[in-house]
Amino acid sequence: MLICDHIPQDIVLLDVGPRPLEVAKALRELMGMGIGLWRAKQIVTQALPVRLAEGVGDDVTATWVGPLRDAGAMIELQTWWRYQPDQGQLPVGRAMTG
């Protein structure tokens, strides 16, 4: 039996709030200098919801969620569905909010 302590999550931006530029600055800071402020602003102002990170662990979510929420963003963590043998077939594309 394989037990995994790392449960992957997606960080999803639901709303940028009243300060989209502050959210873009926070995102740029979190993503490192590989992304410019202009690109970060494009990401946070596109059609919502936006998946900012996919399949990340608790360490990343703990680092990202605070600064984004402090900047005014509404963030949702979507926990990846875990297969359990007694549940039958695996669902396709199903995510649970966490």
Side-chain angles (χ1 to χ4, degrees):
M1 179 169 163
L2 179 64
I3 298 175
C4 179
D5 291 335
H6 172 74
I7 301 172
Q9 296 179 326
D10 293 348
I11 301 173
V12 180
L13 175 65
L14 299 177
D15 187 22
V16 293
R19 304 178 317 214
L21 186 57
E22 294 302 315
V23 176
K25 287 178 182 178
L27 181 63
R28 179 179 180 228
E29 182 78 22
L30 292 166
M31 294 184 91
M33 290 302 169
I35 182 174
L37 184 57
W38 181 79
R39 179 67 183 128
K41 189 165 187 261
Q42 274 189 323
I43 291 170
V44 302
T45 57
Q46 67 184 335
L48 298 173
V50 177
R51 182 165 279 118
L52 299 176
E54 190 171 290
V56 296
D58 291 337
D59 54 338
V60 175
T61 58
T63 303
W64 281 49
V65 171
L68 290 168
R69 286 187 176 156
D70 289 346
M74 183 184 298
I75 300 294
E76 178 182 64
L77 299 177
Q78 294 180 343
T79 303
W80 288 21
W81 190 83
R82 291 173 67 174
Y83 175 71
Q84 295 177 5
D86 59 340
Q87 290 181 327
Q89 291 184 328
L90 285 171
V92 177
R94 178 178 167 192
M96 298 174 67
T97 57

Coordinates of all heavy atoms in Angstrom, one line a residue:
M1 N 0.8 -1.2 0.0 CA 0.0 0.0 0.0 C 0.9 1.2 0.0 O 1.8 1.4 0.8 CB -0.9 0.0 1.2 CG -1.8 1.2 1.4 SD -2.9 0.8 2.7 CE -3.5 2.3 3.1
L2 N 0.6 2.1 -0.9 CA 1.4 3.4 -1.0 C 0.7 4.5 -0.3 O -0.5 4.7 -0.6 CB 1.6 3.7 -2.5 CG 2.3 4.9 -2.9 CD1 3.8 4.8 -2.4 CD2 2.3 5.2 -4.3
I3 N 1.3 5.2 0.5 CA 0.8 6.3 1.2 C 1.6 7.6 0.9 O 2.8 7.6 0.9 CB 0.8 6.1 2.8 CG1 -0.1 4.9 3.1 CG2 0.3 7.4 3.5 CD1 0.0 4.6 4.6
C4 N 0.8 8.6 0.5 CA 1.5 9.8 0.0 C 1.0 11.0 0.9 O -0.1 11.3 1.1 CB 1.1 10.1 -1.4 SG 1.8 11.6 -2.1
D5 N 2.0 11.7 1.6 CA 1.7 12.8 2.4 C 1.5 14.1 1.6 O 0.8 15.0 2.1 CB 2.8 13.0 3.4 CG 2.9 11.9 4.4 OD1 1.9 11.3 4.7 OD2 4.0 11.7 5.0
H6 N 2.0 14.1 0.4 CA 1.9 15.3 -0.4 C 0.6 15.2 -1.2 O 0.4 14.3 -2.1 CB 3.1 15.4 -1.4 CG 2.9 16.4 -2.4 ND1 3.1 17.8 -2.1 CD2 2.6 16.4 -3.7 CE1 2.9 18.5 -3.2 NE2 2.6 17.6 -4.2
I7 N -0.4 16.1 -0.9 CA -1.7 16.1 -1.7 C -1.6 17.3 -2.5 O -1.6 18.5 -2.0 CB -2.9 16.2 -0.7 CG1 -2.9 14.9 0.2 CG2 -4.2 16.3 -1.5 CD1 -3.9 15.0 1.3
P8 N -1.5 17.2 -3.8 CA -1.3 18.3 -4.7 C -2.6 19.2 -4.7 O -3.7 18.7 -4.6 CB -1.1 17.7 -6.1 CG -1.2 16.3 -6.0 CD -1.5 15.9 -4.5
Q9 N -2.4 20.5 -4.9 CA -3.4 21.5 -4.9 C -3.2 22.4 -6.1 O -2.0 22.7 -6.4 CB -3.6 22.2 -3.6 CG -3.9 21.4 -2.4 CD -4.0 22.2 -1.2 OE1 -3.3 23.2 -1.0 NE2 -4.9 21.8 -0.3
D10 N -4.3 23.0 -6.6 CA -4.2 24.1 -7.5 C -4.5 25.4 -6.8 O -5.4 25.4 -6.0 CB -5.1 23.9 -8.7 CG -4.8 22.7 -9.6 OD1 -3.7 22.1 -9.4 OD2 -5.7 22.3 -10.4
I11 N -3.8 26.5 -7.1 CA -4.1 27.8 -6.6 C -4.8 28.5 -7.7 O -4.3 28.8 -8.8 CB -2.8 28.5 -6.2 CG1 -2.0 27.7 -5.1 CG2 -3.2 29.9 -5.7 CD1 -0.7 28.3 -4.8
V12 N -6.1 28.9 -7.4 CA -7.0 29.5 -8.4 C -7.4 30.9 -7.9 O -7.8 31.1 -6.8 CB -8.2 28.6 -8.6 CG1 -9.2 29.2 -9.6 CG2 -7.9 27.2 -9.0
L13 N -7.2 31.8 -8.8 CA -7.5 33.2 -8.6 C -9.0 33.4 -9.0 O -9.3 33.2 -10.2 CB -6.6 34.2 -9.4 CG -7.0 35.7 -9.3 CD1 -6.8 36.2 -7.9 CD2 -6.1 36.4 -10.3
L14 N -9.9 33.7 -8.0 CA -11.3 33.9 -8.3 C -11.6 35.4 -8.6 O -12.5 35.7 -9.4 CB -12.1 33.4 -7.2 CG -12.0 31.9 -6.8 CD1 -12.8 31.6 -5.6 CD2 -12.4 31.1 -8.0
D15 N -11.0 36.3 -7.9 CA -11.3 37.7 -8.0 C -10.0 38.5 -7.6 O -9.3 38.1 -6.6 CB -12.5 38.1 -7.2 CG -12.9 39.5 -7.4 OD1 -12.7 40.1 -8.5 OD2 -13.6 40.0 -6.5
V16 N -9.7 39.6 -8.3 CA -8.6 40.4 -7.9 C -8.9 41.5 -6.9 O -8.0 42.2 -6.4 CB -7.9 41.1 -9.2 CG1 -7.3 40.0 -10.0 CG2 -8.9 41.9 -9.9
G17 N -10.2 41.7 -6.7 CA -10.6 42.7 -5.7 C -10.4 44.1 -6.3 O -10.2 44.3 -7.5
P18 N -10.4 45.1 -5.4 CA -10.3 46.5 -5.8 C -8.9 47.0 -6.2 O -8.8 48.1 -6.8 CB -10.7 47.3 -4.6 CG -10.4 46.4 -3.4 CD -10.5 45.0 -3.9
R19 N -7.9 46.2 -6.0 CA -6.5 46.6 -6.3 C -5.8 45.6 -7.2 O -4.9 44.9 -6.8 CB -5.7 46.7 -5.0 CG -6.3 47.7 -4.1 CD -5.6 47.8 -2.8 NE -5.1 46.5 -2.3 CZ -5.0 46.1 -1.1 NH1 -5.3 47.0 -0.1 NH2 -4.6 44.9 -0.7
P20 N -6.2 45.5 -8.5 CA -5.5 44.5 -9.4 C -4.0 44.7 -9.6 O -3.3 43.7 -9.8 CB -6.3 44.7 -10.7 CG -7.0 45.9 -10.6 CD -7.2 46.3 -9.2
L21 N -3.6 45.9 -9.5 CA -2.1 46.2 -9.7 C -1.4 45.6 -8.5 O -0.3 45.0 -8.7 CB -1.8 47.7 -9.9 CG -0.4 48.0 -10.2 CD1 0.1 47.3 -11.4 CD2 -0.2 49.5 -10.3
E22 N -1.9 45.7 -7.3 CA -1.3 45.1 -6.1 C -1.2 43.6 -6.2 O -0.2 43.0 -5.8 CB -2.0 45.6 -4.9 CG -1.9 47.1 -4.6 CD -0.4 47.6 -4.5 OE1 0.4 46.9 -3.8 OE2 -0.1 48.6 -5.1
V23 N -2.3 43.0 -6.7 CA -2.3 41.6 -6.9 C -1.2 41.2 -8.0 O -0.5 40.2 -7.8 CB -3.7 41.1 -7.3 CG1 -3.7 39.6 -7.6 CG2 -4.7 41.4 -6.2
A24 N -1.1 41.9 -9.0 CA -0.1 41.7 -10.1 C 1.3 41.8 -9.5 O 2.1 41.0 -9.8 CB -0.3 42.6 -11.2
K25 N 1.5 42.8 -8.7 CA 2.8 42.9 -8.0 C 3.2 41.7 -7.1 O 4.3 41.2 -7.1 CB 2.9 44.2 -7.2 CG 3.0 45.5 -8.1 CD 3.0 46.7 -7.2 CE 3.0 48.0 -8.0 NZ 3.0 49.2 -7.1
A26 N 2.2 41.3 -6.4 CA 2.4 40.1 -5.5 C 2.7 38.9 -6.3 O 3.6 38.1 -6.0 CB 1.1 39.9 -4.6
L27 N 1.9 38.7 -7.4 CA 2.1 37.5 -8.3 C 3.5 37.6 -8.9 O 4.2 36.6 -8.9 CB 1.1 37.5 -9.4 CG 1.2 36.3 -10.3 CD1 1.0 35.0 -9.6 CD2 0.2 36.5 -11.5
R28 N 4.0 38.7 -9.3 CA 5.3 38.9 -9.9 C 6.4 38.5 -8.9 O 7.3 37.8 -9.2 CB 5.5 40.3 -10.4 CG 6.9 40.5 -11.0 CD 7.0 41.9 -11.5 NE 8.3 42.1 -12.0 CZ 9.1 43.1 -11.7 NH1 8.7 44.1 -10.9 NH2 10.3 43.2 -12.3
E29 N 6.2 39.0 -7.7 CA 7.1 38.7 -6.6 C 7.2 37.2 -6.3 O 8.3 36.6 -6.1 CB 6.7 39.4 -5.3 CG 7.6 39.2 -4.1 CD 8.9 40.1 -4.2 OE1 8.9 41.1 -4.9 OE2 9.9 39.7 -3.6
L30 N 6.0 36.5 -6.3 CA 6.0 35.1 -6.0 C 6.6 34.3 -7.2 O 7.2 33.2 -6.9 CB 4.6 34.7 -5.8 CG 3.9 35.2 -4.5 CD1 2.4 35.0 -4.5 CD2 4.6 34.6 -3.3
M31 N 6.4 34.7 -8.4 CA 6.9 34.0 -9.6 C 8.3 34.2 -9.9 O 8.9 33.6 -10.7 CB 6.0 34.2 -10.8 CG 4.6 33.7 -10.6 SD 3.6 34.0 -12.1 CE 3.9 32.4 -12.9
G32 N 8.9 35.2 -9.2 CA 10.3 35.5 -9.5 C 10.4 36.5 -10.6 O 9.5 36.9 -11.2
M33 N 11.6 36.9 -10.9 CA 11.9 37.9 -11.9 C 11.7 37.4 -13.4 O 11.9 38.1 -14.3 CB 13.3 38.5 -11.8 CG 13.4 39.3 -10.5 SD 12.2 40.7 -10.6 CE 12.3 41.3 -9.0
G34 N 11.3 36.1 -13.5 CA 11.1 35.6 -14.9 C 9.8 36.1 -15.5 O 9.6 35.9 -16.7
I35 N 9.0 36.9 -14.7 CA 7.8 37.4 -15.3 C 7.8 38.9 -15.0 O 8.1 39.4 -13.9 CB 6.6 36.7 -14.6 CG1 5.3 37.3 -15.2 CG2 6.6 36.9 -13.1 CD1 4.1 36.5 -14.7
G36 N 7.4 39.7 -16.0 CA 7.4 41.1 -15.8 C 6.1 41.6 -15.2 O 5.1 40.9 -15.2
L37 N 6.0 42.8 -14.8 CA 4.8 43.4 -14.2 C 3.7 43.4 -15.2 O 2.5 43.1 -14.9 CB 5.1 44.8 -13.6 CG 3.9 45.4 -12.9 CD1 3.4 44.5 -11.7 CD2 4.3 46.8 -12.4
W38 N 4.0 43.8 -16.5 CA 3.0 43.8 -17.5 C 2.3 42.5 -17.7 O 1.1 42.3 -17.8 CB 3.6 44.3 -18.8 CG 2.6 44.4 -19.9 CD1 1.8 45.4 -20.2 CD2 2.4 43.5 -21.0 NE1 1.0 45.2 -21.3 CE2 1.4 44.0 -21.8 CE3 3.0 42.3 -21.3 CZ2 1.0 43.4 -23.0 CZ3 2.6 41.6 -22.5 CH2 1.6 42.2 -23.3
R39 N 3.1 41.4 -17.8 CA 2.6 40.0 -17.9 C 1.8 39.6 -16.7 O 0.7 39.0 -16.8 CB 3.7 39.1 -18.2 CG 3.3 37.6 -18.4 CD 2.4 37.4 -19.6 NE 2.0 36.1 -19.7 CZ 0.7 35.7 -19.8 NH1 -0.2 36.6 -20.0 NH2 0.4 34.4 -19.9
A40 N 2.3 39.9 -15.5 CA 1.5 39.6 -14.3 C 0.2 40.3 -14.3 O -0.8 39.7 -13.9 CB 2.4 40.0 -13.1
K41 N 0.1 41.5 -14.7 CA -1.2 42.2 -14.8 C -2.1 41.6 -15.8 O -3.3 41.5 -15.6 CB -1.0 43.7 -15.1 CG -2.2 44.5 -14.9 CD -2.0 46.0 -14.9 CE -3.3 46.7 -14.5 NZ -3.9 47.3 -15.6
Q42 N -1.5 41.1 -16.9 CA -2.3 40.4 -17.9 C -3.0 39.2 -17.3 O -4.1 38.9 -17.6 CB -1.5 40.0 -19.1 CG -1.4 41.1 -20.2 CD -0.7 40.5 -21.4 OE1 0.2 39.7 -21.3 NE2 -1.1 40.9 -22.6
I43 N -2.2 38.4 -16.6 CA -2.6 37.2 -16.0 C -3.8 37.5 -15.0 O -4.8 36.8 -15.0 CB -1.5 36.5 -15.2 CG1 -0.5 35.9 -16.2 CG2 -2.0 35.3 -14.4 CD1 0.8 35.4 -15.6
V44 N -3.7 38.5 -14.1 CA -4.7 38.7 -13.1 C -5.9 39.4 -13.6 O -7.0 39.4 -13.0 CB -4.1 39.4 -11.9 CG1 -3.0 38.6 -11.2 CG2 -3.7 40.8 -12.2
T45 N -5.8 40.0 -14.8 CA -7.0 40.7 -15.3 C -7.7 40.0 -16.5 O -8.6 40.5 -17.0 CB -6.6 42.2 -15.8 OG1 -5.6 42.1 -16.8 CG2 -6.2 43.0 -14.6
Q46 N -7.2 38.8 -16.8 CA -7.9 38.0 -17.9 C -9.2 37.4 -17.3 O -9.5 37.6 -16.1 CB -7.0 36.9 -18.4 CG -6.6 35.8 -17.4 CD -5.6 34.9 -18.0 OE1 -5.6 34.7 -19.2 NE2 -4.9 34.2 -17.2
A47 N -9.9 36.8 -18.1 CA -11.2 36.2 -17.7 C -11.0 35.2 -16.5 O -10.2 34.3 -16.6 CB -11.8 35.4 -18.8
L48 N -11.6 35.5 -15.4 CA -11.5 34.7 -14.2 C -12.4 33.5 -14.2 O -13.5 33.6 -14.9 CB -11.8 35.6 -13.0 CG -10.8 36.8 -12.8 CD1 -11.3 37.7 -11.7 CD2 -9.4 36.3 -12.6
P49 N -12.2 32.4 -13.6 CA -11.0 32.2 -12.7 C -9.7 31.8 -13.5 O -9.8 31.4 -14.6 CB -11.5 31.0 -11.9 CG -12.5 30.3 -12.7 CD -13.1 31.3 -13.6
V50 N -8.6 32.1 -12.8 CA -7.3 31.8 -13.4 C -6.5 30.8 -12.5 O -6.4 31.1 -11.3 CB -6.5 33.1 -13.6 CG1 -5.1 32.8 -14.1 CG2 -7.2 34.1 -14.5
R51 N -6.0 29.8 -13.1 CA -5.2 28.8 -12.3 C -3.8 29.3 -12.3 O -3.1 29.4 -13.3 CB -5.3 27.4 -13.0 CG -4.5 26.4 -12.2 CD -4.9 25.0 -12.7 NE -6.1 24.6 -12.0 CZ -7.3 24.3 -12.6 NH1 -7.4 24.4 -13.9 NH2 -8.4 24.0 -11.9
L52 N -3.4 29.8 -11.1 CA -2.0 30.4 -11.0 C -0.9 29.3 -10.8 O 0.2 29.5 -11.3 CB -2.0 31.4 -9.8 CG -3.0 32.6 -9.9 CD1 -2.9 33.4 -8.6 CD2 -2.6 33.4 -11.1
A53 N -1.2 28.3 -10.1 CA -0.3 27.2 -9.9 C -1.0 25.9 -9.9 O -2.2 25.8 -9.4 CB 0.5 27.4 -8.6
E54 N -0.4 24.9 -10.4 CA -1.1 23.6 -10.6 C -0.3 22.5 -9.9 O 0.9 22.3 -10.1 CB -1.2 23.3 -12.1 CG -2.1 22.1 -12.4 CD -2.4 22.0 -13.8 OE1 -3.1 22.9 -14.4 OE2 -1.9 21.1 -14.5
G55 N -0.9 21.7 -9.1 CA -0.3 20.5 -8.5 C 0.8 20.8 -7.5 O 1.8 20.1 -7.4
V56 N 0.6 21.9 -6.7 CA 1.7 22.3 -5.8 C 1.4 21.7 -4.4 O 0.2 21.4 -4.1 CB 1.9 23.8 -5.7 CG1 2.3 24.3 -7.1 CG2 0.6 24.5 -5.3
G57 N 2.4 21.7 -3.5 CA 2.2 21.2 -2.2 C 1.9 22.3 -1.2 O 1.8 23.5 -1.5
D58 N 1.8 21.9 0.1 CA 1.4 22.8 1.1 C 2.5 23.9 1.3 O 2.1 25.0 1.7 CB 1.3 22.0 2.5 CG 0.1 21.1 2.5 OD1 -0.9 21.4 1.7 OD2 0.1 20.2 3.3
D59 N 3.7 23.6 1.1 CA 4.7 24.6 1.2 C 4.5 25.8 0.3 O 4.7 27.0 0.6 CB 6.2 24.0 1.1 CG 6.3 23.3 -0.2 OD1 5.3 22.8 -0.8 OD2 7.5 23.1 -0.7
V60 N 4.2 25.5 -1.0 CA 3.9 26.5 -2.0 C 2.6 27.3 -1.7 O 2.6 28.5 -1.7 CB 3.9 26.0 -3.4 CG1 3.5 27.0 -4.4 CG2 5.2 25.3 -3.8
T61 N 1.6 26.6 -1.3 CA 0.3 27.2 -1.0 C 0.5 28.1 0.2 O -0.1 29.2 0.2 CB -0.8 26.2 -0.8 OG1 -0.5 25.4 0.3 CG2 -1.1 25.4 -2.0
A62 N 1.2 27.7 1.2 CA 1.4 28.6 2.3 C 2.2 29.8 2.0 O 2.0 30.9 2.5 CB 2.2 27.8 3.4
T63 N 3.1 29.7 1.0 CA 3.9 30.9 0.6 C 3.1 31.8 -0.3 O 3.3 33.0 -0.2 CB 5.2 30.4 -0.2 OG1 5.9 29.5 0.6 CG2 6.0 31.6 -0.6
W64 N 2.2 31.3 -1.1 CA 1.5 32.1 -2.1 C 0.2 32.7 -1.6 O -0.1 33.9 -2.0 CB 1.2 31.2 -3.3 CG 2.3 31.0 -4.3 CD1 3.6 30.7 -4.0 CD2 2.3 31.2 -5.7 NE1 4.4 30.6 -5.1 CE2 3.6 30.9 -6.2 CE3 1.3 31.6 -6.6 CZ2 3.9 30.9 -7.5 CZ3 1.6 31.6 -8.0 CH2 2.9 31.3 -8.4
V65 N -0.6 32.0 -0.9 CA -1.9 32.5 -0.5 C -1.9 33.7 0.3 O -2.7 34.7 0.0 CB -2.7 31.3 0.2 CG1 -4.0 31.8 0.7 CG2 -2.9 30.2 -0.8
G66 N -1.1 33.8 1.3 CA -1.0 35.0 2.2 C -0.8 36.3 1.4 O -1.6 37.2 1.5
P67 N 0.3 36.4 0.6 CA 0.6 37.7 -0.1 C -0.5 38.0 -1.1 O -0.8 39.2 -1.3 CB 1.9 37.4 -0.8 CG 2.6 36.3 0.0 CD 1.5 35.5 0.5
L68 N -1.1 37.0 -1.8 CA -2.1 37.3 -2.7 C -3.4 37.8 -2.1 O -4.0 38.8 -2.5 CB -2.4 36.1 -3.6 CG -1.3 35.7 -4.6 CD1 -1.6 34.3 -5.2 CD2 -1.2 36.7 -5.7
R69 N -3.7 37.2 -0.9 CA -4.9 37.7 -0.2 C -4.7 39.0 0.4 O -5.6 39.9 0.5 CB -5.3 36.6 0.9 CG -6.0 35.4 0.2 CD -6.5 34.5 1.3 NE -7.2 33.4 0.6 CZ -7.4 32.2 1.2 NH1 -7.0 31.9 2.4 NH2 -8.1 31.3 0.5
D70 N -3.5 39.3 0.9 CA -3.1 40.6 1.5 C -3.2 41.7 0.4 O -3.6 42.8 0.7 CB -1.7 40.6 2.0 CG -1.6 39.8 3.3 OD1 -2.7 39.4 3.9 OD2 -0.5 39.4 3.7
A71 N -3.0 41.3 -0.8 CA -3.1 42.3 -1.9 C -4.5 42.5 -2.4 O -4.8 43.4 -3.2 CB -2.2 41.8 -3.1
G72 N -5.4 41.7 -1.9 CA -6.8 41.9 -2.2 C -7.5 40.8 -3.0 O -8.7 40.9 -3.3
A73 N -6.7 39.8 -3.3 CA -7.2 38.7 -4.2 C -8.1 37.7 -3.4 O -7.8 37.5 -2.2 CB -6.1 38.0 -4.9
M74 N -9.1 37.1 -4.1 CA -9.8 36.0 -3.6 C -9.2 34.8 -4.2 O -9.3 34.6 -5.4 CB -11.3 36.1 -3.9 CG -12.1 35.0 -3.2 SD -13.9 35.1 -3.7 CE -14.3 36.6 -3.0
I75 N -8.7 33.9 -3.3 CA -8.0 32.7 -3.8 C -8.8 31.4 -3.3 O -9.3 31.4 -2.2 CB -6.6 32.6 -3.2 CG1 -5.8 33.8 -3.6 CG2 -5.9 31.3 -3.6 CD1 -5.5 33.9 -5.1
E76 N -8.8 30.4 -4.2 CA -9.4 29.1 -3.8 C -8.3 28.1 -4.0 O -7.6 28.1 -5.0 CB -10.6 28.8 -4.7 CG -11.2 27.5 -4.4 CD -12.4 27.2 -5.3 OE1 -12.1 27.0 -6.6 OE2 -13.5 27.0 -4.8
L77 N -8.2 27.1 -3.1 CA -7.3 26.0 -3.3 C -8.2 24.8 -3.7 O -9.1 24.5 -3.0 CB -6.6 25.7 -1.9 CG -5.7 26.8 -1.4 CD1 -5.1 26.4 -0.1 CD2 -4.6 27.1 -2.4
Q78 N -7.8 24.2 -4.8 CA -8.6 23.0 -5.2 C -7.7 21.8 -5.0 O -6.6 21.7 -5.6 CB -8.9 23.2 -6.7 CG -9.9 24.3 -7.0 CD -10.3 24.4 -8.5 OE1 -9.6 23.9 -9.3 NE2 -11.3 25.1 -8.7
T79 N -8.1 20.9 -4.2 CA -7.4 19.7 -3.8 C -7.6 18.7 -4.9 O -8.8 18.5 -5.3 CB -7.8 19.2 -2.5 OG1 -7.6 20.2 -1.5 CG2 -7.0 18.0 -2.1
W80 N -6.6 18.1 -5.4 CA -6.7 17.0 -6.4 C -7.4 15.8 -5.7 O -7.2 15.5 -4.6 CB -5.4 16.6 -6.9 CG -4.7 17.6 -7.8 CD1 -5.0 19.0 -7.9 CD2 -3.7 17.4 -8.8 NE1 -4.2 19.6 -8.8 CE2 -3.4 18.6 -9.4 CE3 -3.0 16.3 -9.2 CZ2 -2.5 18.8 -10.3 CZ3 -2.1 16.4 -10.1 CH2 -1.8 17.6 -10.7
W81 N -8.3 15.3 -6.5 CA -9.1 14.1 -6.0 C -8.2 12.9 -5.9 O -7.3 12.7 -6.7 CB -10.2 13.8 -7.1 CG -11.2 12.8 -6.6 CD1 -12.3 13.1 -5.8 CD2 -11.2 11.4 -6.9 NE1 -13.0 11.9 -5.6 CE2 -12.3 10.9 -6.3 CE3 -10.4 10.6 -7.6 CZ2 -12.7 9.6 -6.3 CZ3 -10.7 9.3 -7.7 CH2 -11.9 8.8 -7.1
R82 N -8.3 12.2 -4.8 CA -7.5 11.0 -4.5 C -8.3 9.8 -4.8 O -9.4 9.6 -4.2 CB -7.0 11.1 -3.1 CG -6.0 12.2 -2.9 CD -5.5 12.3 -1.5 NE -4.8 11.1 -1.1 CZ -4.2 11.1 0.1 NH1 -4.3 12.0 0.9 NH2 -3.6 10.0 0.4
Y83 N -7.8 8.8 -5.5 CA -8.4 7.6 -5.8 C -8.4 6.7 -4.6 O -7.3 6.5 -4.0 CB -7.8 6.9 -7.0 CG -8.3 5.5 -7.3 CD1 -9.6 5.4 -7.8 CD2 -7.6 4.4 -7.0 CE1 -10.2 4.1 -8.0 CE2 -8.1 3.1 -7.3 CZ -9.4 3.0 -7.8 OH -9.9 1.8 -8.0
Q84 N -9.5 6.1 -4.3 CA -9.5 5.0 -3.2 C -10.2 3.8 -3.9 O -11.2 3.9 -4.5 CB -10.3 5.5 -2.0 CG -9.6 6.7 -1.3 CD -10.5 7.2 -0.2 OE1 -11.5 6.7 0.2 NE2 -10.0 8.3 0.4
P85 N -9.6 2.6 -3.7 CA -10.0 1.5 -4.4 C -11.5 1.2 -4.3 O -12.2 0.7 -5.2 CB -9.2 0.3 -3.9 CG -8.0 1.0 -3.4 CD -8.4 2.4 -2.9
D86 N -12.1 1.5 -3.1 CA -13.5 1.1 -2.9 C -14.5 2.1 -3.6 O -15.7 2.0 -3.4 CB -13.8 1.0 -1.4 CG -13.5 2.2 -0.7 OD1 -12.8 3.1 -1.1 OD2 -14.1 2.4 0.5
Q87 N -14.0 3.2 -4.3 CA -14.8 4.2 -4.9 C -15.2 3.9 -6.3 O -15.8 4.7 -6.9 CB -14.2 5.6 -4.7 CG -14.2 6.1 -3.3 CD -13.6 7.4 -3.2 OE1 -12.6 7.8 -4.0 NE2 -14.0 8.2 -2.3
G88 N -14.7 2.8 -6.9 CA -15.1 2.5 -8.3 C -14.2 3.3 -9.2 O -13.0 3.5 -9.0
Q89 N -14.7 3.7 -10.4 CA -14.0 4.3 -11.4 C -13.5 5.7 -11.0 O -14.1 6.4 -10.2 CB -14.8 4.5 -12.7 CG -15.1 3.2 -13.3 CD -15.8 3.4 -14.6 OE1 -16.6 4.3 -14.8 NE2 -15.6 2.5 -15.6
L90 N -12.3 6.1 -11.6 CA -11.8 7.4 -11.4 C -12.6 8.5 -12.1 O -12.9 8.3 -13.3 CB -10.3 7.5 -11.9 CG -9.3 6.9 -11.0 CD1 -8.0 6.8 -11.8 CD2 -9.1 7.6 -9.7
P91 N -13.0 9.6 -11.5 CA -13.7 10.6 -12.2 C -12.7 11.4 -13.1 O -11.5 11.5 -12.8 CB -14.2 11.5 -11.1 CG -13.3 11.3 -10.0 CD -12.8 9.9 -10.1
V92 N -13.1 11.9 -14.2 CA -12.2 12.7 -15.1 C -12.4 14.2 -14.9 O -13.5 14.7 -14.9 CB -12.5 12.3 -16.6 CG1 -11.6 13.1 -17.5 CG2 -12.3 10.8 -16.8
G93 N -11.3 14.9 -14.6 CA -11.4 16.3 -14.5 C -12.1 16.8 -13.2 O -12.6 17.9 -13.2
R94 N -12.2 16.1 -12.2 CA -12.9 16.5 -11.0 C -11.9 17.0 -10.0 O -10.9 16.5 -9.7 CB -13.6 15.2 -10.4 CG -14.4 15.6 -9.2 CD -15.1 14.3 -8.7 NE -15.5 14.5 -7.3 CZ -16.0 13.6 -6.5 NH1 -16.1 12.3 -7.0 NH2 -16.4 13.8 -5.3
A95 N -12.3 18.2 -9.4 CA -11.5 18.8 -8.4 C -12.4 19.1 -7.2 O -13.5 19.5 -7.4 CB -10.8 20.0 -8.9
M96 N -11.9 19.0 -6.0 CA -12.6 19.3 -4.8 C -12.0 20.6 -4.2 O -10.8 20.7 -4.2 CB -12.6 18.2 -3.8 CG -13.3 16.9 -4.3 SD -13.1 15.6 -3.2 CE -14.1 16.1 -1.9
T97 N -12.8 21.5 -3.7 CA -12.3 22.7 -3.1 C -11.8 22.3 -1.7 O -12.4 21.4 -1.0 CB -13.3 23.8 -3.0 OG1 -14.4 23.3 -2.3 CG2 -13.7 24.3 -4.4
G98 N -10.7 23.0 -1.3 CA -10.2 22.7 0.0 C -10.1 23.8 0.9 O -10.2 25.0 0.6

